[in-house]
Amino acid sequence: MHLNKQLPCLLLAVLLVSCNLNNKPSKYDNEEDIANNKKKSSTAPATKPARSKAPIIGERINGAAAILNNPGGEPLVTLADYIPLRCAPLKKDWYPVSLDFDITKDEFSKPLFHKGRKIKVNGVEAGVLQRDIKLPVATNGERMWATVTGYTQKKNIRNGSIIESGLSSYLKQHTGRSIDDMDPFIHNFKLEKETILKPYVLYFNYESGIDDPSPLYRLALVFQGKQLIGVLHARPLQLDGSSVRRLQRGFTVSYLNGIDKSLKEDFAVKFNKFILSVD
């Protein structure tokens, strides 16, 4: 079972990579908007969407931006374009965010960081600290990092790096709903596989862990057999033509058109029973 308690900052810090956008020189070897990599001509034959070279883990900064100590408050760090970070659910046009940056052994021992310090994320120049600040630090035995948390405006996050927006765009542009059709999306957002709710298979990611040290699902593609029947989500999601059902613990499932009523009910009952049993 994947929903055991964990240290999401540790997991995500190891996995964080960034993106290659609009054919610009790549800093992190990744794609921002997986549904919009290249526009096809109207006469070109339909082809299966391609996998990106590196999965998308976490959201991406849109242009130069800052992480503030509070919404509308003072800057903690200014960041360059494309930098990866984690976003909790949006609150009144502000995202609670966290960012891991590389540190030295001396800083790990004495984690007081000074204004003007340039920071790197996985070795890439990422921004500058804007005040003296003491931060929590961590290591996985191979590298060490400090974590800064705060807030950034909605406009500072690239829309294509947000999984809910990415999925909505992907389903609009690609008509197939089989497991093969959805494979590029599953790969490009590095979704994990869950088979505990047989006969249903879920491909999911977790919440950011900013608000909860033991996060549950953020979004999950729900398959029955080899066909997508719906999307489970904890954050708002717009899927054209879907029917929505509220589930336990704040979850929602958006079923695709044409799904049998009995199948919808069966999944909802199984998921509610399952999620209430999870710590």
Side-chain angles (χ1 to χ4, degrees):
M1 174 52 211
H2 293 286
L3 286 174
N4 57 319
K5 292 187 176 181
Q6 58 185 289
L7 296 174
C9 288
L10 175 62
L11 174 63
L12 287 170
V14 175
L15 293 173
L16 270 173
V17 291
S18 189
C19 50
N20 176 12
L21 304 176
N22 301 326
N23 296 321
K24 294 179 181 179
S26 173
K27 294 183 178 181
Y28 293 92
D29 191 23
N30 208 337
E31 300 289 341
E32 179 220 16
D33 188 345
I34 62 170
N36 237 345
N37 288 345
K38 294 182 180 179
K39 293 184 178 180
K40 303 179 180 65
S41 69
S42 58
T43 58
T47 58
K48 182 177 178 179
R51 286 182 166 202
S52 64
K53 293 181 180 179
I56 297 172
I57 306 295
E59 288 78 10
R60 302 288 183 271
I61 286 292
N62 181 28
I67 295 178
L68 309 182
N69 60 347
N70 289 295
E74 298 297 321
L76 301 175
V77 57
T78 50
L79 299 174
D81 198 9
Y82 302 99
I83 299 304
L85 74 173
R86 296 178 293 274
C87 296
L90 189 67
K91 298 178 181 179
K92 296 182 179 180
D93 290 328
W94 289 86
Y95 280 109
V97 298
S98 69
L99 171 79
D100 299 329
F101 64 88
D102 306 338
I103 62 174
T104 65
K105 291 181 179 179
D106 288 342
E107 289 172 328
F108 185 81
S109 300
K110 297 179 180 180
L112 177 61
F113 303 90
H114 297 288
K115 180 179 179 179
R117 184 197 189 279
K118 294 182 179 180
I119 66 170
K120 293 183 177 182
V121 174
N122 292 337
V124 177
E125 296 287 349
V128 181
L129 292 180
Q130 296 300 313
R131 63 163 58 185
D132 293 345
I133 188 171
K134 188 173 184 179
L135 296 172
V137 296
T139 181
N140 61 5
E142 296 180 0
R143 56 179 293 264
M144 294 166 286
W145 63 90
T147 300
V148 58
T149 59
Y151 296 84
T152 199
Q153 289 181 285
K154 178 182 178 181
K155 67 180 181 179
N156 293 336
I157 301 299
R158 291 184 175 273
N159 196 52
S161 70
I162 300 168
I163 190 171
E164 292 83 7
S165 299
L167 177 61
S168 179
S169 178
Y170 189 93
L171 292 179
K172 285 179 181 178
Q173 296 189 31
H174 307 291
T175 58
R177 298 295 182 262
S178 71
I179 186 68
D180 287 340
D181 295 321
M182 298 305 298
D183 173 73
F185 185 87
I186 292 168
H187 167 82
N188 292 352
F189 277 94
K190 201 174 177 65
L191 301 184
E192 299 181 52
K193 184 177 181 179
E194 176 62 88
T195 60
I196 197 170
L197 294 179
K198 294 179 180 180
Y200 309 102
V201 176
L202 275 57
Y203 288 87
F204 72 94
N205 68 351
Y206 286 116
E207 262 297 354
S208 66
I210 296 172
D211 297 328
D212 186 347
S214 299
L216 299 175
Y217 297 135
R218 173 173 172 175
L219 181 144
L221 305 179
V222 182
F223 289 87
Q224 195 272 330
K226 294 185 177 181
Q227 292 296 314
L228 182 70
I229 67 168
V231 182
L232 179 77
H233 49 102
R235 302 191 190 188
L237 175 68
Q238 296 295 325
L239 291 183
D240 293 346
S242 62
S243 60
V244 174
R245 174 161 177 171
R246 304 296 178 186
L247 301 174
Q248 294 290 334
R249 298 186 72 171
F251 287 98
T252 300
V253 59
S254 296
Y255 292 113
L256 303 186
N257 281 336
I259 304 302
D260 185 79
K261 183 177 179 180
S262 63
L263 194 64
K264 296 179 183 178
E265 181 66 21
D266 183 62
F267 174 78
V269 169
K270 283 184 169 65
F271 179 80
N272 281 338
K273 182 178 179 181
F274 161 72
I275 203 65
L276 289 175
S277 70
V278 175
D279 292 335

